[in-house]
Amino acid sequence: MAEKTPTPGKVEKAIIHITGMTCANCAAIIEKGLSDTPGVEKAFVNLASEKASVDFNPTKVNLNQLKAAVTDLGYGVATRKSIFPVTGMTCATCAGHVEEALKSVPGVISANVNLASEKATVEYIEGLDTDGLKKAVKDAGYELGSETATLEDVTRTARREIGGLKRRFIVSAVISAVIMTIMYVPALMMNSYAGYVMFFLATPVQFWAGRRFYRGAWGALKHHTTDMNTLVAVGTSVAYFYSATALFFPGLFRGVNMELTMYFDTSATIITLILFGRYLEARAKGETSEAIGKLIGLRPDTATVIREGKEEKIPIDDVKVSDLILVRPGERIPVDGVIRSGYSSVDQSMITGESIPVEKKVGDIVIGATINKTGSFEFEAMKVGKDTTLSQIIRLVEEAQGSKAPIQRLADVIASRFVPAVIVIAAVTFVIWYFFGPAPSLTFAFLNAIAVLVIACPCAMGLATPTAIMVGTGKGAEHGILIRNGEALEKASAINIVLMDKTGTLTMGEPKVTDIIAIPKITGDEALQFAASVEHGSEHPLAAAILKEAEEKHIKLLPTTNFNAIPGHGVTATADGKQLILGNLKLIQDKNLKLNGMETTADTLWEKGRTVMFLGVNDQVVGVIALADTIKPTTKKAVDELHRMGITVAMITGDNRRTAEAIAKEAGIDRVIAEVLPENKAREVKRLQEEGRVVGMVGDGINDAPALVQADIGIAIGTGTDVAIESADITLISGDVTGVPTAIELSKHTVRTIKENLFWAFFYNTILIPVAAGLLYFFFGARGAVVPAGLQFILGQYGFLNPIMAAAAMAFSSVSVVTNSLRLRRFNPKLG
């Protein structure tokens, strides 16, 4: 939705892309619904183009309301989700301002701004002019980059920003060092020109190095709000202009020691230290998204295509669907496709997390960016550009890193109210110390107020959650675990029961021969030869399993005649002059075959949950063949790890209870929910939730979709290329269930890191604001005591926090939070 063009009066036109229409009646319903919406003057719906043209009065109705009118009728409106780089943000309050600005644009559905990655994820009605988004953000005092910017462009912009911070820091650090030298060397300070020298040195620091703080504060002021820039700008400006006034108008300060009215060192050093903190923080933030950088680095630059029988090396962006591509040993596979000739093994670890190379033959799918290990092969390109698995993964990880976890809401609310509260606290601090403090009261009032302003910047609060989410989701991608958003990452840590679908999740998803038992007169291989020969003409999945077993054992099939399939019972045929019968017990009884005691053997196999087929030759049963959908090699390991984590494991299946319980016993599963139709799985999930359980549902994302949506966390088993399963919160690309405990383990580590970050951010402000306001004076100066010599540079003689130390502490708090989040990069799952 919406190409928006103003028309005379107060009428605007919107072009809305409608989804879900199937006939002219649909178009008429939508047209009437839009026309009846208050504020809409005229509406026309075109079924062929699937678009609605709406003339509306923007003072009475907006684009979001028009969207609601369409969705209320049971149809959809096409939306788009884009990621934009944002520059100029410095704290959580800044991120909040950008978010509000984006949400204020008509047509925007949702907006999440990530301070750590400096990106905005915006969902908006398709067709919206993004220039409106940029204008709204610019009016708020920030800059919104282009949606079309590549990840490399974003990285380059970030490096330029880091370089600029570094230059400004170095210049201001050198100047601040000179000012400090003048201030603290008596011989220099006594010089009559010392004040003027400090003024001329401090001015470029204040207005060139510190320009970013003024620009941010002005943008906030225009929107009648405040942010971290406001605190720094106010605090340093008070120190600078107070000193400049004392220098040029000394008559206003008669009787006051000139040295006590000069705070050029304070203003310059505060800006220097905050810039240094910003520089360290920017570098560290760059490391939090290194997973994205690694993924980008996997993408090869060129591909060798075969066109008209000739090999041609072309840029990867020029590869087209259906191109035939040659891959040699050691090369990266450029795009997704299907092998048409050749055989090899492929290292898929960088995409799926699988450590062992996977054998690939004709007809198998290969994934772009994986490494061909041994042979050469030719494959047909099926997905190129933004449709490849790698591109989808990068986009999903970016969206996850730009999302918010529920735990962040508390920090956002506090940060939004924090800055105004701090300004009030600083003003009260000044008044109290000026009117009731010891002499020189103005100096103490002044320094304490600045210290409060500078130390209270809520940067650490704003970085506590997003930095951890960025590292956590990136680390998940490295292990083949795609986490949709921060909310899923947080909620997964609370899972206390994992409900797994059986077929294709816990098991291989196809039947396999498990037992061949024959009477003494024939061997197991002879029984298999008879069974495979009679099944040669069948297309049943059990027949395919028997034929595969015979192929793997290199058993030669007998020619057969008179093949006959008996639906629901089995098959018969003639081979080598013998009448062969393969089927269930009912078929054998109907044919009056002698069982030779094989029914007892069958009972034992049935108890194990096997499917049993009786093999008859002429008038007697000569053997039984048992088949089962066997559990995956890693299933037992995954279940054991979930148990170690204190999580109950349940299995849900449409199979009969006896088969299900046999599988559960083999895997060590605690609870079985059997004989459940696919459409009823969601109801079983809800029943568990009503027991007070936090349910993680694991399934294939197709017939399990309703259950995945109903669960607290839906975990979809991927297939290597199927990475964007809409119904899942978490997707395991490799299809390996060991990813389930790994995802939960990663979630617990990430949430613990977030809580640590938030604790220290809140603790830091709770403890240090009172210290900055002068609380420690009552433990030292007011009692005639002196601060210990080792702490005097920080707290002075009487317990007043030096504003310069406040700036250093503020910078340290932000860097420490980011550094703590970076520890997540060392995460190694127990089931690696």
Side-chain angles (χ1 to χ4, degrees):
M1 197 177 172
E3 294 159 1
K4 203 174 66 166
T5 325
T7 53
K10 285 189 175 178
V11 177
E12 292 185 3
K13 182 183 288 292
I15 306 298
I16 307 171
H17 187 172
I18 309 289
T19 60
M21 291 192 296
T22 56
C23 64
N25 188 50
C26 297
I29 290 170
I30 297 169
E31 196 169 285
K32 184 175 187 310
L34 286 170
S35 299
D36 291 346
T37 302
V40 172
E41 307 224 343
K42 186 170 62 176
F44 171 71
V45 178
N46 186 315
L47 176 62
S49 66
E50 295 186 316
K51 289 183 178 178
S53 174
V54 186
D55 291 348
F56 65 101
N57 185 331
T59 63
K60 295 180 180 178
V61 65
N62 58 38
L63 290 176
N64 289 346
Q65 290 168 315
L66 295 180
K67 174 182 180 290
V70 174
T71 54
D72 285 347
L73 294 168
Y75 301 91
V77 171
T79 63
R80 180 172 179 172
K81 188 178 279 187
S82 299
I83 298 170
F84 302 88
V86 184
T87 54
M89 297 189 299
T90 53
C91 69
T93 315
C94 299
H97 292 163
V98 176
E99 228 169 70
E100 287 171 15
L102 289 167
K103 287 177 179 176
S104 69
V105 177
V108 170
I109 308 299
S110 66
N112 281 319
V113 177
N114 188 313
L115 173 64
S117 65
E118 297 184 318
K119 290 177 185 174
T121 303
V122 187
E123 184 179 4
Y124 53 93
I125 297 168
E126 192 169 297
L128 177 73
D129 187 355
T130 55
D131 286 344
L133 301 177
K134 293 179 182 179
K135 183 178 185 304
V137 172
K138 189 169 185 178
D139 288 346
Y142 308 91
E143 293 290 331
L144 191 73
S146 173
E147 172 207 1
T148 57
T150 63
L151 292 164
E152 291 88 343
D153 291 338
V154 173
T155 304
R156 199 176 298 120
T157 301
R159 285 177 184 157
R160 191 162 57 245
E161 172 78 3
I162 292 171
L165 277 168
K166 185 178 180 181
R167 282 193 301 275
R168 289 173 191 268
F169 160 67
I170 290 172
V171 171
S172 60
V174 171
I175 292 174
S176 297
V178 175
I179 294 174
M180 294 279 281
T181 302
I182 295 172
M183 282 291 293
Y184 293 100
V185 176
L188 294 175
M189 191 61 195
M190 295 302 292
N191 188 299
S192 59
Y193 294 104
Y196 296 99
V197 172
M198 288 191 294
F199 168 77
F200 285 113
L201 287 171
T203 299
V205 174
Q206 189 70 32
F207 300 108
W208 175 74
R211 182 177 63 185
R212 62 191 294 117
F213 305 118
Y214 284 105
R215 189 172 62 235
W218 174 246
L221 183 63
K222 283 196 296 184
H223 285 75
H224 312 292
T225 186
T226 54
D227 61 11
M228 169 263 171
N229 295 296
T230 308
L231 298 180
V232 177
V234 170
T236 58
S237 295
V238 168
Y240 174 83
F241 286 111
Y242 177 75
S243 304
T245 304
L247 175 66
F248 292 105
F249 305 99
L252 298 175
F253 298 91
R254 283 191 188 129
V256 177
N257 186 334
M258 183 62 135
E259 187 176 344
L260 295 178
T261 61
M262 291 294 178
Y263 299 105
F264 290 121
D265 62 324
T266 300
S267 63
T269 308
I270 286 173
I271 288 174
T272 300
L273 287 170
I274 293 175
L275 285 175
F276 182 55
R278 288 283 165 272
Y279 168 65
L280 293 178
E281 185 185 302
R283 284 185 56 185
K285 282 196 298 186
E287 294 177 41
T288 62
S289 58
E290 71 167 7
I292 290 286
K294 284 181 181 177
L295 289 169
I296 295 168
L298 295 176
R299 185 174 179 263
D301 297 322
T302 60
T304 303
V305 299
I306 300 172
R307 290 175 177 169
E308 298 178 358
K310 294 180 181 178
E311 293 181 18
E312 183 182 348
K313 188 157 280 196
I314 63 172
I316 194 170
D317 292 333
D318 294 342
V319 175
K320 296 181 176 62
V321 173
S322 298
D323 271 345
L324 195 62
I325 301 170
L326 172 66
V327 184
R328 296 185 174 89
E331 292 182 342
R332 283 196 186 274
I333 297 168
V335 295
D336 297 358
V338 178
I339 294 180
R340 295 305 181 203
S341 67
Y343 175 89
S344 185
S345 61
V346 176
D347 179 0
Q348 300 184 155
S349 59
M350 63 290 300
I351 298 293
T352 66
E354 298 168 288
S355 56
I356 300 172
V358 180
E359 300 298 313
K360 298 287 184 180
K361 60 185 184 301
V362 173
D364 285 346
I365 291 172
V366 289
I367 308 171
T370 56
I371 301 172
N372 180 31
K373 300 293 286 184
T374 51
S376 295
F377 61 85
E378 294 175 6
F379 76 97
E380 181 183 350
M382 306 298 287
K383 292 181 180 179
V384 300
K386 63 178 174 42
D387 296 324
T388 63
T389 299
L390 179 64
S391 296
Q392 288 183 60
I393 290 172
I394 289 172
R395 182 160 189 84
L396 284 170
V397 173
E398 276 206 303
E399 286 184 11
Q401 291 186 339
S403 66
K404 285 187 179 180
I407 199 171
Q408 189 174 343
R409 291 173 193 148
L410 174 64
D412 287 349
V413 169
I414 292 175
S416 67
R417 299 172 184 172
F418 196 74
V419 176
V422 167
I423 292 174
V424 171
I425 292 170
V428 170
T429 298
F430 181 88
V431 170
I432 290 173
W433 285 106
Y434 182 71
F435 288 104
F436 305 104
S441 62
L442 178 61
T443 296
F444 290 141
F446 182 67
L447 291 177
N448 288 341
I450 292 176
V452 168
L453 287 170
V454 171
I455 206 166
C457 295
C459 310
M461 288 184 208
L463 292 168
T465 303
T467 52
I469 286 175
M470 287 179 70
V471 181
T473 51
K475 202 66 186 173
E478 287 180 25
H479 291 282
I481 300 166
L482 294 183
I483 301 165
R484 185 166 294 279
N485 50 43
E487 183 174 0
L489 185 63
E490 181 184 334
K491 284 171 72 176
S493 68
I495 289 173
N496 54 32
I497 184 169
V498 169
L499 181 61
M500 295 193 185
D501 176 53
K502 181 181 79 70
T503 307
T505 300
L506 291 169
T507 65
M508 300 298 290
E510 56 185 29
K512 180 177 173 60
V513 173
T514 58
D515 304 270
I516 302 173
I517 302 169
I519 63 174
K521 290 181 182 178
I522 68 170
T523 66
D525 281 355
E526 286 176 319
L528 180 60
Q529 183 185 45
F530 284 139
S533 298
V534 75
E535 287 283 24
H536 184 58
S538 173
E539 297 179 354
H540 194 279
L542 296 180
I546 291 172
L547 288 165
K548 185 177 181 183
E549 182 74 8
E551 183 184 348
E552 289 175 357
K553 290 186 175 181
H554 306 292
I555 290 175
K556 186 179 179 181
L557 303 186
L558 301 171
T560 59
T561 57
N562 303 321
F563 174 82
N564 181 34
I566 304 165
H569 295 290
V571 292
T572 64
T574 303
D576 198 21
K578 299 179 179 69
Q579 178 68 24
L580 304 180
I581 300 171
L582 187 69
N584 58 22
L585 182 59
K586 188 173 187 312
L587 177 63
I588 297 300
Q589 290 171 337
D590 289 346
K591 297 288 185 181
N592 294 315
L593 268 64
K594 183 180 176 183
L595 283 165
N596 286 329
M598 282 296 169
E599 66 272 27
T600 305
T601 304
D603 283 336
T604 305
L605 294 169
W606 281 325
E607 286 299 322
K608 294 180 180 178
R610 307 284 196 257
T611 297
V612 179
M613 301 179 74
F614 292 83
L615 173 65
V617 177
N618 294 329
D619 62 348
Q620 64 178 323
V621 173
V622 299
V624 293
I625 296 178
L627 302 96
D629 183 6
T630 55
I631 67 170
K632 293 179 179 178
T634 54
T635 293
K636 182 73 167 64
K637 201 190 305 182
V639 171
D640 289 345
E641 180 60 20
L642 287 167
H643 285 156
R644 190 196 65 77
M645 298 167 73
I647 296 170
T648 302
V649 183
M651 180 177 76
I652 188 166
T653 179
D655 277 356
N656 65 73
R657 179 161 292 279
R658 186 164 60 179
T659 301
E661 287 181 346
I663 291 285
K665 185 177 179 182
E666 188 179 355
I669 288 168
D670 308 297
R671 185 169 172 178
V672 174
I673 305 171
E675 300 171 11
V676 180
L677 295 174
E679 59 267 26
N680 294 332
K681 287 182 179 179
R683 188 174 63 196
E684 295 297 331
V685 172
K686 191 173 183 181
R687 191 170 293 166
L688 288 173
Q689 290 170 326
E690 288 168 353
E691 293 176 12
R693 303 280 198 156
V694 179
V695 182
M697 171 68 196
V698 187
D700 61 14
I702 303 167
N703 62 353
D704 296 319
L708 290 172
V709 172
Q710 175 64 45
D712 297 282
I713 291 292
I715 303 174
I717 299 291
T719 58
T721 55
D722 184 17
V723 297
I725 300 176
E726 290 300 321
S727 53
D729 300 298
I730 297 173
T731 300
L732 309 179
I733 307 174
S734 69
D736 189 340
V737 287
T738 56
V740 176
T742 297
I744 296 172
E745 185 185 356
L746 176 62
S747 171
K748 288 180 182 293
H749 275 71
T750 305
V751 170
R752 185 165 65 243
T753 300
I754 290 170
K755 288 178 178 177
E756 288 169 356
N757 287 348
L758 287 172
F759 170 79
W760 287 112
F762 288 127
F763 177 81
Y764 162 84
N765 284 117
T766 304
I767 294 298
L768 292 187
I769 288 179
V771 172
L775 180 66
L776 292 183
Y777 171 78
F778 298 101
F779 295 92
F780 294 105
R783 298 181 176 184
V786 176
V787 173
L791 294 175
Q792 283 194 14
F793 183 65
I794 299 173
L795 297 174
Q797 261 187 306
Y798 304 112
F800 293 115
L801 183 65
N802 186 331
I804 293 172
M805 291 298 101
M810 191 277 286
F812 172 77
S813 70
S814 298
V815 175
S816 64
V817 161
V818 179
T819 304
N820 188 45
S821 294
L822 288 174
R823 291 191 306 116
L824 276 170
R825 292 189 302 174
R826 299 202 295 267
F827 169 80
N828 280 310
K830 293 194 169 54
L831 295 182

